[in-house]
Amino acid sequence: MSDYRLTTVETVRGAGSWAFTAREGDADREVFLVPCADEPDGEGENSDQPVRAWINRCTHEDQRLHREGVGAVTRGGSVVCPKHGSAFDACEGACDNGEAAGTTLRSIDVEVRGGAVFLTDDDLTYLYEGLPDDDGDDEGPGSSSHLTF
């Protein structure tokens, strides 16, 4: 079983999101963490899992949701796709609006113990913090969203 210490809940909350790269079979996967608990002190209905981990791709189009230097755009408990504005629930991964409506982000198993976040997904092996360079996509996507960031 994979059980790698990634970061702390405090770091994820402070930055708004946190990303790492992992190996699944022969492929590298980008993963990002976002806060999930309802209250900053970890109280509320989701306090048992104060952060969630998701594959770093919009379900509508092969688009990063977390970008280096920017992080994941979040609003009202949702992660927003910077290209089309679809909003994914940060705790459940489900989308009920925009181009990705009716889809759910792929979750990655993590556990919080003593304020630290551990990768516990048997299918992934941690490689490094952050995302790989991706041949010039650092400027971000062209947006067709009605939302401005």
Side-chain angles (χ1 to χ4, degrees):
M1 176 172 150
S2 178
D3 198 16
Y4 186 87
R5 185 186 184 282
L6 298 168
T7 188
T8 65
V9 172
E10 183 179 333
T11 297
V12 176
R13 285 187 190 283
S17 63
W18 188 88
F20 68 96
T21 302
R23 174 67 46 97
E24 180 180 41
D26 293 335
D28 289 355
R29 301 284 182 231
E30 297 177 14
V31 180
F32 70 101
L33 305 172
V34 289
C36 179
D38 299 331
E39 302 296 328
D41 62 2
E43 298 298 323
E45 72 179 69
N46 295 308
S47 61
D48 62 323
Q49 188 65 20
V51 299
R52 294 281 199 261
W54 307 106
I55 291 290
N56 191 26
R57 291 287 183 247
C58 179
T59 57
H60 166 248
E61 198 171 282
D62 189 24
Q63 173 64 50
R64 280 180 167 162
L65 297 172
H66 175 106
R67 294 190 336 250
E68 289 296 336
V70 177
V73 175
T74 57
R75 280 202 180 142
S78 294
V79 176
V80 181
C81 175
K83 186 162 186 177
H84 294 109
S86 294
F88 298 88
D89 183 279
C91 298
E92 302 300 324
C95 180
D96 63 3
N97 73 332
E99 301 286 341
T103 66
T104 303
L105 295 174
R106 180 178 162 205
S107 66
I108 299 301
D109 295 336
V110 294
E111 264 182 40
V112 174
R113 296 189 297 261
V117 183
F118 291 84
L119 174 64
T120 58
D121 197 300
D122 290 334
D123 295 329
L124 295 178
T125 302
Y126 177 86
L127 294 177
Y128 54 87
E129 180 179 341
L131 305 176
D133 290 332
D134 69 347
D135 70 3
D137 188 39
D138 294 43
E139 296 301 315
S143 178
S144 60
S145 171
H146 64 287
L147 300 174
T148 56
F149 303 109

